[in-house]
Amino acid sequence: MMKDNSFLTLGIETSCDETAISVVADGRRMLSNVIASQIDIFKNYGGVVPEIASRHHLENINSVLERSLEDAGVTLDDIDLIGVTNGPGLVGALLMGVSTAKALSFAKGIPMVGVHHLSGHISANFISHPELEPPFMSLIVSGGHTEIVNVKDHSVIEVLGGTRDDAAGECFDKVARVLGLGYPGGPKIDRAAKEGDPDSIYFKRVMLEKGSYDFSFSGLKTAVLNYLNSQRQAGKEVRREDVAASFQQAVLDVIVRKTMDACLENHEDKIVMAGGVAANSRLRAMMEEECRKNGIKLYYPEPVLCTDNGAMIACAAYYKYRRNGADGLDLDCYPYLEFQA
Ligand code: KG4
Ligand code: ZN
């Protein structure tokens, strides 16, 4: 493809175990989306090992970049903006993306902006749904985060609540591990739960104080462990599908209730889901049902854009650049980074 008048953003994402680079036209049109996943490597460890993840990013990043430009039919000289995740995430992993972005920005004179990973997850929806515009209520549920935020405009976000301990995805992963379902646990629980009875075992729904949009999931993980141990000690057989379904229902009852309350109390008429757990089929079905009852429109990205990718980072970078301009070459990366749009 010859470059036309489109504004091309290169989005780079390396915050965890995916080396992902995309080219996105005019903030919303995905021209390429290359993702080198390390899931197969970390299956053997039962989770991500930060140092190993960084090394794989280093090995993969140049070829992922080349393929991404090639798939889009462009060269680096056609790129107008570089967006890169600079937090939160694993610091060694983030450094690989940020160093690459800086090198390309410096060598080619292309402006660069740092993107908050969660702002990226929300933006995946702008690519999947070209008509979607703020304001809306957003639920971000991933391996590292569970947040309810009010997106008032592009790059204008108010955080209403978040997890006080484990993230929802982390909880899915840990429970899958104790059930022997493998890594990553979210999709495995999703599948197993379809064969199980969600009402077979009662796990407490932790709602916290009235009016709070915060979450706490660490007790639920312990409750599942206690249940498994007590069954084992009593010599009783455990149906993994029933545990998966009952656990999943306990997590989702809380998430769906709080997201709906936040939406209704803040008078929004759209809910936008984002992050790896937004791919969960039961969560989608429950939210569809609640939104239908309350006259709210529901959005979520296609599955490949729910988990980490470069396109969502390119989209968020495009809007941030239009509002705030570029970052300097002194851009740093942060394992913990306060939500910023
Ligand atoms: O957004 P993501 O790719 O990475 C982070 O930024 O954390 O999310 C990964 C998380 C993992 O915890 C994974 O188990 C979970 O998303 N996940 C799911 C499903 N697909 C992925 N959780 C529940 N159901 C799913 N279908
Ligand atoms: Zn993510």
Side-chain angles (χ1 to χ4, degrees):
M1 176 188 112
M2 287 287 291
K3 172 148 162 83
D4 52 21
N5 285 331
S6 323
F7 184 96
L8 298 187
T9 306
L10 185 77
I12 303 176
E13 156 61 42
T14 63
S15 67
C16 191
D17 59 342
E18 260 99 28
T19 318
I21 302 185
S22 285
V23 179
V24 170
D26 301 323
R28 295 220 174 189
R29 208 157 29 88
M30 192 165 75
L31 302 184
S32 66
N33 189 30
V34 179
I35 303 170
S37 171
Q38 303 177 18
I39 280 182
D40 283 342
I41 296 157
F42 294 121
K43 262 182 193 158
N44 304 324
Y45 298 90
V48 177
V49 184
E51 273 314 306
I52 298 179
S54 316
R55 261 174 245 172
H56 282 283
H57 285 308
L58 179 61
E59 279 167 21
N60 290 335
I61 201 149
N62 284 332
S63 61
V64 170
L65 173 64
E66 268 170 36
R67 248 193 308 145
S68 190
L69 292 168
E70 201 179 295
D71 284 3
V74 300
T75 70
L76 266 182
D77 293 322
D78 301 321
I79 299 295
D80 300 295
L81 174 69
I82 298 169
V84 61
T85 308
N86 72 322
L90 304 170
V91 77
L94 288 165
L95 264 171
M96 294 317 308
V98 169
S99 312
T100 304
K102 283 185 186 176
L104 296 174
S105 169
F106 180 67
K108 290 285 182 185
I110 307 169
M112 169 190 67
V113 291
V115 171
H116 192 284
H117 185 71
L118 296 190
S119 174
H121 271 301
I122 295 171
S123 299
N125 284 280
F126 294 133
I127 295 175
S128 288
H129 308 286
E131 78 291 357
L132 175 65
E133 289 294 337
F136 51 73
M137 193 56 63
S138 187
L139 166 71
I140 311 159
V141 268
S142 72
H145 298 271
T146 309
E147 315 252 349
I148 296 178
V149 304
N150 201 346
V151 179
K152 301 192 162 175
D153 199 349
H154 287 291
S155 299
V156 184
I157 290 173
E158 184 193 352
V159 179
L160 300 182
T163 184
R164 294 185 186 168
D165 39 58
D166 291 357
E170 188 182 356
C171 200
F172 270 85
D173 292 338
K174 286 176 175 167
V175 167
R177 190 157 58 202
V178 299
L179 287 176
L181 292 171
Y183 173 86
K188 303 262 165 64
I189 297 238
D190 192 349
R191 213 167 309 130
K194 289 195 169 101
E195 312 297 324
D197 174 5
D199 299 320
S200 54
I201 309 149
Y202 180 77
F203 295 117
K204 192 168 182 296
R205 277 67 170 153
V206 179
M207 298 303 286
L208 300 173
E209 314 82 65
K210 198 168 165 28
S212 167
Y213 297 121
D214 282 349
F215 299 94
S216 171
F217 293 120
S218 66
L220 185 55
K221 177 189 68 195
T222 314
V224 173
L225 264 175
N226 288 345
Y227 170 80
L228 291 174
N229 287 337
S230 67
Q231 293 300 102
R232 240 166 250 149
Q233 276 165 10
K236 288 191 191 148
E237 188 136 338
V238 172
R239 255 201 100 227
R240 292 198 298 185
E241 292 80 0
D242 286 341
V243 182
S246 302
F247 153 78
Q248 177 175 270
Q249 194 61 37
V251 175
L252 299 185
D253 276 348
V254 177
I255 289 178
V256 171
R257 185 69 272 134
K258 292 204 177 218
T259 309
M260 291 307 300
D261 285 351
C263 185
L264 295 170
E265 277 164 29
N266 288 277
H267 310 291
E268 295 294 0
D269 59 1
K270 289 173 247 168
I271 290 179
V272 168
M273 298 203 293
V277 184
N280 183 274
S281 59
R282 180 87 189 116
L283 172 61
R284 289 179 172 197
M286 287 170 67
M287 286 295 281
E288 294 276 9
E289 170 70 14
E290 283 299 309
C291 284
R292 196 185 46 74
K293 275 197 246 162
N294 290 286
I296 288 164
K297 204 157 164 22
L298 179 67
Y299 297 84
Y300 44 78
E302 57 206 276
V304 68
L305 294 179
C306 279
T307 45
D308 293 348
N309 64 86
M312 67 187 198
I313 303 304
C315 175
Y318 173 81
Y319 287 106
K320 190 177 173 196
Y321 178 65
R322 291 213 319 194
R323 185 175 276 267
N324 300 332
D327 285 316
L329 284 173
D330 57 352
L331 180 75
D332 215 338
C333 51
Y334 304 91
Y336 303 99
L337 182 60
E338 194 134 311
F339 208 145
Q340 51 185 231

